[in-house]
Amino acid sequence: MSTATKEQPYRRALRSTHRVLIKAGTSVVANDDGRPSLTRLGAIIEQVAELHRSGMEVIMVTSGATGMGKRLMRKHGRMNMTMAEMTSSNNLADLTEGVGDVTLRSESNDGIMSTNGESMLSEKESKKTFDSACAAGGQFEMMNLYNSLFSQMDISAAQILLTEGDFRDESHLTSLMYSIERLLSVGIIPIINENDAVTANRGTADNTHLFTDNDSLAALCARSFSCDMCILLTDVDGVFDRPPNEKGSKLLPFFAQNQTVGIGEKSLHGRGGMAAKISAAQMAVKPGSQCRACVVLSGADLDSIRSIASKDYDMDDYSPKGTLFATPGSELEKQALEDVEAVTGDSVSEAASLMATASRDQARKLQSLSYAERQAILFAVAEGLESQKATILASNAIDLKNAQKDGTSKELVGRLKLTDAKLKTLSTGIRQIANEPDPLGVVKAKRELADGLELSQITVPIGVLMIIFESRPDSMPQIASLALASGNGLLLKGGKEAAFSNEAIHKVIGDAIEKGSGGKITRDIIALVTSRGQVADMLKLDDVVDLVIPRGSNALVSYIKANTRIPVLGHADGVCHVYVDKSCTDADLVSKLVVDAKTDYPSACNAMETLLLHEDTLQSTHIAMSVLMSLRVAGVKCLGGPKAMKAGLCDIAAKEMKCEYGDLTCMVEIVENMEEAIDWIHKYGSGHTEAIVCAEDSEAGEDFLNRVDAACVFKNASTRFADGFRFGLGAEVGISTGRIHARGPVGVEGLLTVKWQLRSEGINVASEYEGDDRKKVYTHKDLM
């Protein structure tokens, strides 16, 4: 049976390109010794010629002139060396062409001196001026080579040397664009390179430069000269999810918006690297120009350009080569996402499975460390959050900007935003966790089963936790610190809206783990799944994941609970009530509590969503009107239940009696007594957090605490206290409304289970305790 792969629509669309820019980097056009690679160059010219003859317009951006010029400069430098200079060489082999780094007069500062005889240039500046001279010398040799190769194909080429000023000066850019158009109109291929003889081979990146290497120059040219597609040839097959030399690395056929990858070492030649190519590719397809696609692929593949752009390319197997970048929001991007996900539907679960296995291995190593060593890791994480605050907030700013551009709801933006205060609270909480007693190995029970046979029950980690969270990047350090303290491994899947924040925080935590443990534990213990894919795929990992903790919307939590065999810890709704009892007398204090419960953090799951007022508060005490006025002054929109509407307390009726608004909206309803309030809470509440406001000496308070069935029940305290940090747990992985294992804010203790240890003095066998003639008897004596 044939296993050939048909070409996917998003790749087939690239073959309709009218104008393409092809950039061949130094690592492609040159061998390791700096000499031009005639094999690769010949293949590139042959493929460019095919595109040209098919009617496609081709522009080239090429590197290699500096490398060729160095050979030329060294050759002539040696020819001009004095006998004394030649005999002073420590290694005669250095005098052979192309070998060693012998310093020639042309590479020193001898030619640029001040009036007092001292060099005017630093060593770094001197190297740049030498490289500039090399670029000038190499341009002629390089163009001779291109001219020779193109002439064999009956094609003419023209060289264009550019500087940044040509793009900044409007008249220069207009002339340049006209020149490019005229050359292409008569069938001449423009070959573009930076004029390094003028720019001194700058190669440094900052925000003031339009381009800093030939990758960014290629992207700028593709945008400026109306190219439909840009092809960046490099020395690897494309962009990988981690450095390509790492075991398990995978080629990405499509680079999705906000995707992050691991970057390896740059090539031996040229100024760019994979990071530069990713940045250039994203710049090329940025909205605002005709360039809709950029492909990063290997120039060592002698069929690479043809496989991407040729209209007549015909192969049995169309497995995509290289990595495609597409303009965000374009039809090409939408098609690419569809096609890639259709092919790699299982790849997310496969990658996540490998991550979970590696996380479990590291978690077992973590358990073997002393508690002092585990504490050192937690302190390092807290320190990392503070020392890398600027990096984290800068990444968060990108997410916030994207959220604003995408029209994300205010509720989600509120959860997404990080601040100095939030990071400080997180660091404080992590240190608080670190200063707690060791939670592992705690003896929960000890019993003598028989003489010389002792049974113990001790605390141990659950194993590997999968946390799926939306919008809340501050969830990650909380969850990670609790997992580290409890010896669990973590598999994290964050929402795309927090992609940059999550990546930054994950890196900080990973660095801290390896630093704090002295390399004994790797960052694999906390894995972040960044690849696109369906949550449904990850929910199938019941063989490698022990517990799922969702943190996000009601829809997310409900979906996870309904679609996995993995145990789920969490809550689907945060419909919290505040009941104002008839015993209240101080309107200001009641208003203060109610306003805090609603407005302190409206999108939090512990914010008040429904206010229940005893009917007496509308009469003699006027507390009801005072509370409602305070809510409205605070910007809260109050929707009325049936009785509240009848009493004229609200203008707009609530459509639902059970609703988690997540913003500055709440429902108000009147109840006859506390019995009705409790019945209402049990009928419309979510079992999260419920509160009563009453007089200090009222029996209603204790009655409410005892009778209300919820994870958290408060008397005269805001619902906002339902939080792991405020409970003194240091942090929380979430709030559970379930009744098994953990309930309420889940800290370290909620991430533990137990195991039994049986210690025997000598050998004990069960058969000795059985039958009429048994030799031993059970004592079953509790020892603690």
Side-chain angles (χ1 to χ4, degrees), residues 226-238:
S226 303
C227 296
D228 304 305
M229 178 168 63
C230 177
I231 295 176
L232 302 179
L233 299 177
T234 182
D235 55 354
V236 293
D237 292 333

Side-chain angles (χ1 to χ4, degrees), residues 244-262:
N245 57 352
E246 282 191 16
K247 185 179 178 181
S249 61
K250 291 186 178 182
L251 177 69
L252 302 175
F254 176 69
F255 195 96
Q257 203 178 357
N258 296 337
Q259 190 157 358
T260 54
V261 296

Side-chain angles (χ1 to χ4, degrees), residues 662-682:
D663 57 17
L664 289 174
T665 305
C666 74
M667 192 187 83
V668 179
E669 183 56 317
I670 300 168
V671 292
E672 289 184 12
N673 48 45
M674 191 173 72
E675 290 288 338
E676 188 179 348
I678 293 175
D679 288 344
W680 178 285
I681 289 169
H682 288 161

Side-chain angles (χ1 to χ4, degrees), residues 24 94 156 164 256 315 352 363 585:
D94 286 345
S156 297
E164 190 174 295
M315 288 288 288
T585 57

